[in-house]
Amino acid sequence: MVLAIALILCLLPLPYGFYTIIRLATAVLAGCWAYRFYNRRKTSFAITAAAIALLFQPFLKISLDRFTWNIIDVILAGLIVLMVLKRK
């Protein structure tokens, strides 16, 4: 849930370092999700999580305009909230 809040905060004009930290955190968490889904034999979820990890990884940056990143951030934050609510 903290990641969802951080992704929503990415809509604000913050220092570039904040975005880099969020990219790294999102990539790591999405990589963990991909591994977890793969072990549970949920291949489509594993592929989706791996794609999110690749999109957000901060080392070989994918250059998208700010509006596109904002849309991605909001969608991903919404998915995280849905996953958390579904678990409860």
Side-chain angles (χ1 to χ4, degrees), residues 1-5 7 22-54 56 73 75-84 87:
M1 192 65 103
V2 173
L3 181 60
I5 294 168
L7 286 167
I22 298 306
R23 285 179 73 133
L24 181 60
T26 305
V28 169
L29 286 173
C32 292
W33 293 334
Y35 178 76
R36 201 170 190 196
F37 287 135
Y38 180 77
N39 283 338
R40 293 180 179 177
R41 306 276 193 268
K42 296 182 178 183
T43 309
S44 60
F45 289 120
I47 291 170
T48 303
I52 291 169
L54 288 174
F56 277 86
D73 291 340
I75 290 171
L76 187 55
L79 288 174
I80 291 169
V81 169
L82 286 175
M83 286 173 49
V84 168
R87 286 182 73 188

Side-chain angles (χ1 to χ4, degrees), residues 8-16 18-19 66 70:
I8 295 300
L9 286 175
C10 286
L11 300 175
L12 302 173
L14 297 168
Y16 187 75
F18 177 78
Y19 302 112
R66 182 163 176 88
N70 286 345

